[in-house]
Amino acid sequence: MGCVSSKTADSKANRVARWRSTGIVALRDSKLKTFPDEVLTLDRAVRTVDLTHNKIVDVPVEINKLINMQRLILAENLIECLPMNLGKLQSLKVMTLDGNRLSGLPDELGQLVRLEQLSVSRNVLTYLPETLGSLRNLKLLNASNNQLKYLPESIGSCFSLEELQANDNSIDDLPPSICNLVHLKSLSLNNNNVKEMPATILRDCKILQSISLHNNPISMDQFQQMEGYQEFEQRRKKKFDKQIDSNVMINSKGLDQGVDS
């Protein structure tokens, strides 16, 4: 019995030593119910934490010790809320929280000023915090499959945003500030309640080349009459080249402009 216990201790020690050496904690599909305490002891050594597909409910406040962590991947767990001190993770560039039970995100999210990718799809979010606009380095935002009725006006301050996915929500309108996203290349809003787009989005978002609006009330006629449509169409054609016919699909429920087949 003592021998088995000793081997277990050695195994855990070796694992922690490996994490400290590589900076990578990979514990996918490990049947975890809590965030491992031994990970929290690594402090500055951690660069990546991947705890995908476990049964973790809470993210401990002590996570703020991992100040050099750049990637936090907690997809497919049972997490209902995030600690308010999450904003202390100033090195974080990628945060993936898909497939949890989050109903909101803390305002402190806006303190993650180096964040480049935020994915929170398949939760039960009813809003995104206004502090989202402080994420000036954010390039990808995926908030699909939630219960959002709107996007915050502050999203227009995410000046680096290139891809915005908010499919399968209940969004009625887009904030006018979205026209400030001059680096936006792809906008996907399938299965929402969008009736019209901000009037100048095609003109102001000069490199936007893919808009997906399947199953929304907006009509193709409305879209084609928008200022900047011809220029958008040229960008879309340039990107998709010979696939134009297969990539412009219009049905009675909405439209789709420039989506990969």
Side-chain angles (χ1 to χ4, degrees):
M1 199 74 172
C3 183
V4 172
S5 177
S6 177
K7 286 182 179 179
T8 301
D10 287 344
S11 176
K12 181 176 289 189
N14 289 339
R15 185 170 64 174
V16 171
R18 184 173 69 251
W19 292 341
R20 191 177 296 279
S21 173
T22 64
I24 300 173
V25 176
L27 289 171
R28 288 181 170 228
D29 299 290
S30 297
K31 299 180 181 179
L32 300 174
K33 293 184 179 180
T34 60
F35 200 101
D37 288 337
E38 57 266 35
V39 174
L40 300 173
T41 66
L42 297 173
D43 296 342
R44 297 171 182 269
V46 177
R47 298 291 187 277
T48 295
V49 173
D50 185 352
L51 304 180
T52 298
H53 205 266
N54 284 287
K55 296 182 178 180
I56 297 169
V57 176
D58 296 310
V59 179
V61 295
E62 291 83 3
I63 197 171
N64 69 342
K65 296 177 180 178
L66 308 180
I67 59 173
N68 288 329
M69 180 167 58
Q70 296 180 12
R71 296 170 58 88
L72 177 60
I73 306 172
L74 298 173
E76 312 298 339
N77 278 282
L78 304 173
I79 299 166
E80 297 181 0
C81 64
L82 299 174
M84 288 188 293
N85 65 354
L86 191 74
K88 301 288 187 183
L89 301 175
Q90 294 287 295
S91 299
L92 204 60
K93 292 183 178 180
V94 176
M95 184 160 64
T96 303
L97 296 161
D98 305 310
N100 279 282
R101 297 178 178 180
L102 294 168
S103 58
L105 299 173
D107 287 342
E108 288 75 11
L109 178 75
Q111 298 172 15
L112 302 176
V113 294
R114 290 186 176 87
L115 199 63
E116 296 178 4
Q117 296 181 25
L118 174 61
S119 193
V120 289
S121 69
R122 291 178 290 110
N123 280 279
V124 288
L125 295 171
T126 56
Y127 69 95
L128 297 176
E130 283 291 337
T131 55
L132 187 74
S134 298
L135 304 180
R136 303 295 169 85
N137 289 305
L138 193 66
K139 295 181 179 179
L140 167 67
L141 173 61
N142 183 358
S144 295
N145 295 92
N146 279 286
Q147 298 173 16
L148 302 175
K149 294 184 178 180
Y150 63 93
L151 296 175
E153 181 70 29
S154 66
I155 198 169
S157 296
C158 297
F159 298 124
S160 299
L161 199 62
E162 297 179 2
E163 183 175 352
L164 173 55
Q165 300 177 22
N167 302 308
D168 298 286
N169 281 286
S170 301
I171 297 169
D172 295 314
D173 299 298
L174 298 179
S177 67
I178 203 167
C179 299
N180 297 335
L181 301 178
V182 296
H183 295 289
L184 192 65
K185 295 178 181 179
S186 177
L187 176 61
S188 190
L189 293 163
N190 296 323
N191 304 312
N192 279 282
N193 298 320
V194 178
K195 301 177 182 64
E196 61 181 7
M197 300 286 283
T200 61
I201 187 171
L202 299 183
R203 183 196 72 189
D204 296 339
C205 298
K206 296 184 184 300
I207 61 174
L208 183 60
Q209 55 192 198
S210 176
I211 298 181
S212 187
L213 289 163
H214 280 304
N215 298 325
N216 280 277
I218 189 172
S219 70
M220 184 62 177
D221 285 342
Q222 286 175 273
F223 192 78
Q224 289 180 329
Q225 291 170 16
M226 291 176 60
E227 184 178 0
Y229 173 76
Q230 294 302 327
E231 291 80 2
F232 165 77
E233 183 69 357
Q234 289 172 7
R235 294 193 300 269
R236 187 188 65 76
K237 286 180 178 179
K238 185 177 181 180
K239 179 185 177 185
F240 292 98
D241 198 23
K242 297 178 181 179
Q243 299 181 11
I244 294 173
D245 291 338
S246 61
N247 288 319
V248 180
M249 296 166 284
I250 307 167
N251 57 41
S252 60
K253 295 183 179 179
L255 63 93
D256 185 7
Q257 283 279 20
V259 177
D260 294 317
S261 61

